Amino acid sequence: MDPIPLPLDELVARLGRWSAGRGPLYLLLAARFRQLIDEGLLPAGVLLPPDRRLACALAVGRTTVVAAYDTLRQEGRLVRRQGSGTRVAAAALPPGPRVRETSNPLFLHLLERPDEVILMSCAAPADPPPELTRAYRTMTFPAGDPGYHPAGLPALREAVARRYGARGVPTGPEQVLVTTGAQQGLSLLVRLLVAPGDGVVVEAPTYPGALDLLREAAAVLHPVEVGPEGVDVREAEAVMGRHRPALAYVIPRFQNPTGSVLPPLAGRRLVEAANRHGVPLVVDEVLADLGFGPEAPSPPLSSHGDVIGVGSLSKVVWGGLRIGWVRGPAPLIARLARLKAIHDLGSEVPAQRVAVRLLDDFAPIAAARTRTLRAAHDHLRAELARLLPSWDCPAAGGGQTLWARLPHGDGVAFAQVALRHGVAVLPGATMDALGGSTRCLRLHFLLPREVLSEAVSRLARAWAEYAPQAAQASSPPVSPATLNAITV
């Protein structure tokens, strides 16, 4: 049987923070490969990339990869034959059923053991507000409540519905499903609405967690480019007309990762186009409350027509408060609730009771969070301008991240160098289904000022090491065909 090839970008993602330890690089690389093979994440028969290609992707010398491969060959974990490449050796245990596991660097970095690496790859508040602690301390439980609420605690469904109503979108509690974070809300929607082979419109770039879910569902992605004013609505409308996809997913306000904001008229046109073509429009509202300016946010897209909204408290309050919601037509919410009941019988009740209290007095919490974010945003941009002036880092009007563009080179390769200097960043290519954003990085500003300063210092040292190599490699360019022709 022919060996199974593994995409290079997926392997690099699975390797994670492989170089963050101590010792020679080839031993660190071999140790990470050993772990992936022993855990079954690199099953028997998988064809690994040629030495030169992997070395280029990891921004190391070819001898590092050759030595790592040889170490594993001597251990019996790899088989290397001239002309047929490097394969994972036969496993000691029979393989189990194949399931798709995440290769998303955002999630994989969270699964790594704590180390000295500064994580600029996962954007989440590090410290909960004092209101959260007070709410837990004073929480009580009513008698006679079994604790199972698959659709969500009634009081919380009502609180979320009131919140939409205050924003000009009349909503009843029967239109709200409480989920374990927005990620579960997206997961349930994909499970319910997307079958293998169905088309889905996504922004390019977009939130990588959504791409993971859609790829797991074997969806056919129809990416539409995002510009300074959000998704290209004209192109999105054309794609919906041509393909009649099962779903469209957008982030209209402080788009993740670019930070763009879709103008109100463009948003109305997008909703009308989706409704006209019968395409369910899923709107990610997780970052919508994190605007830096004094002006009131524009009405949500759900005020223009039929829209499925997904929100959470994770970005304003704390990521550990796993409370999210889906707002949509009551029949859809009822179906989602039945699907959710199969998986967890309902989200955690104490967290839901706390969420009710927080939503009752939400404005001060959101205002305090955005003040902190604005100050951190300004500090990070100032440090980048001081130490990395060749990088293009436009200001964001809200949210949690900057979208930085390198003057040359490749974001995936630079991220490997940055990792060896003690900072993890998210390469743009991991978020772009169009295959673009290769020179971009997503940098969050949710760390204390002194940590942000140290992170930029490390990035500057990494860039000083990487930039000369990248500049030399960019002229003349090496074509993909040439890279693919390189063999062991």
Side-chain angles (χ1 to χ4, degrees):
M1 189 175 72
D2 292 336
I4 308 162
L6 183 68
L8 179 60
D9 58 348
E10 184 172 337
L11 175 60
V12 171
R14 290 188 186 184
L15 288 171
R17 302 205 299 273
W18 67 272
S19 61
R22 296 182 181 276
L25 287 178
Y26 84 92
L27 289 179
L28 296 175
L29 183 58
R32 182 57 173 162
F33 266 115
R34 187 180 300 115
Q35 180 184 2
L36 294 176
I37 293 169
D38 292 349
E39 291 179 358
L41 296 175
L42 290 178
V46 163
L47 181 64
L48 298 180
D51 307 340
R52 294 184 189 277
R53 290 194 67 204
L54 183 57
C56 181
L58 297 180
V60 297
R62 183 191 177 197
T63 56
T64 295
V65 176
V66 171
Y69 278 175
D70 283 346
T71 299
L72 295 165
R73 178 187 58 80
Q74 294 170 18
E75 296 173 359
R77 287 181 168 86
L78 295 183
V79 176
R80 281 167 66 79
R81 292 193 178 95
Q82 186 70 28
S84 61
T86 302
R87 294 179 291 110
V88 177
L93 298 175
R98 294 301 302 274
V99 296
R100 183 173 181 87
E101 297 163 325
T102 183
S103 59
N104 183 341
L106 187 154
F107 296 142
L108 293 179
H109 283 170
L110 293 175
L111 292 168
E112 295 276 2
R113 293 189 301 271
D115 52 29
E116 299 302 316
V117 174
I118 299 175
L119 292 183
M120 299 193 77
S121 51
C122 181
D127 299 308
E131 291 87 347
L132 179 63
T133 303
R134 288 198 294 268
Y136 266 106
R137 284 175 177 168
T138 58
M139 182 177 50
T140 58
F141 297 95
D145 183 356
Y148 294 111
H149 301 280
L153 198 68
L156 181 53
R157 299 177 77 189
E158 292 169 2
V160 174
R162 286 195 301 272
R163 180 166 169 73
Y164 276 98
R167 298 165 64 197
V169 184
T171 301
E174 71 282 358
Q175 294 178 265
V176 175
L177 172 75
V178 177
T179 59
T180 306
Q183 185 72 13
Q184 188 189 51
L186 291 174
S187 176
L188 293 171
L189 285 166
V190 170
R191 283 177 176 268
L192 185 64
L193 300 177
V194 180
D198 281 349
V200 177
V201 176
V202 295
E203 298 169 316
T206 190
Y207 167 56
L211 295 179
D212 266 8
L213 293 171
L214 293 168
R215 287 166 177 153
E216 181 188 41
V220 176
L221 301 182
H222 299 297
V224 178
E225 190 172 2
V226 172
E229 293 193 332
V231 67
D232 184 338
V233 174
R234 186 183 299 275
E235 177 62 17
E237 186 175 2
V239 170
M240 286 189 279
R242 284 196 304 268
H243 299 285
R244 299 300 171 101
L247 193 73
Y249 169 74
V250 297
I251 311 172
R253 187 165 166 81
F254 313 127
Q255 199 262 358
N256 182 0
T258 67
S260 65
V261 177
L262 191 65
L265 290 179
R268 177 188 290 273
R269 180 178 171 184
L270 180 64
V271 173
E272 291 173 349
N275 291 173
R276 184 169 63 252
H277 292 297
V279 177
L281 180 61
V282 176
V283 177
D284 189 327
E285 303 172 320
V286 170
L287 299 170
D289 293 304
L290 298 178
F292 296 157
E295 67 279 358
S298 57
L301 293 193
S302 48
S303 64
H304 302 312
D306 291 335
V307 163
I308 303 167
V310 178
S312 84
L313 295 178
S314 65
K315 303 304 183 185
V316 176
V317 181
W318 185 47
L321 184 65
R322 305 302 303 145
I323 294 295
W325 55 81
V326 178
R327 186 262 179 200
L332 172 70
I333 295 302
R335 294 180 65 195
L336 289 172
R338 292 193 291 271
L339 180 59
K340 178 175 165 61
I342 295 173
H343 294 279
D344 63 10
L345 297 178
S347 299
E348 180 195 357
V349 170
Q352 293 187 67
R353 293 199 172 278
V354 164
V356 173
R357 297 195 179 192
L358 297 177
L359 285 175
D360 283 343
D361 195 22
F362 193 65
I365 299 174
R369 179 67 70 189
T370 53
R371 283 195 300 270
T372 301
L373 286 173
R374 177 59 187 269
H377 163 276
D378 294 347
H379 179 72
L380 177 57
R381 287 194 72 235
E383 290 292 88
L384 289 168
R386 182 173 67 89
L387 296 178
L388 290 162
S390 64
W391 289 19
D392 180 22
C393 303
Q400 301 178 319
T401 59
L402 291 178
W403 189 234
R405 182 176 178 83
L406 308 178
H408 51 261
D410 174 80
V412 173
F414 172 70
Q416 292 293 315
V417 179
L419 189 61
R420 296 198 288 275
H421 284 266
V423 58
V425 296
L426 202 59
T430 64
M431 297 171 270
D432 195 327
L434 271 176
S437 305
T438 55
R439 289 187 180 176
C440 295
L441 304 171
R442 195 192 76 171
L443 307 173
H444 77 74
F445 39 85
L446 287 155
L447 298 168
R449 288 171 61 95
E450 62 276 10
V451 180
L452 288 174
S453 295
E454 175 60 23
V456 176
S457 295
R458 296 183 186 185
L459 288 174
R461 292 194 292 271
W463 182 248
E465 176 185 327
Y466 174 76
Q469 307 168 22
Q472 183 178 9
S474 64
S475 181
V478 179
S479 69
T482 302
L483 284 176
N484 290 333
I486 298 173
T487 61
V488 177

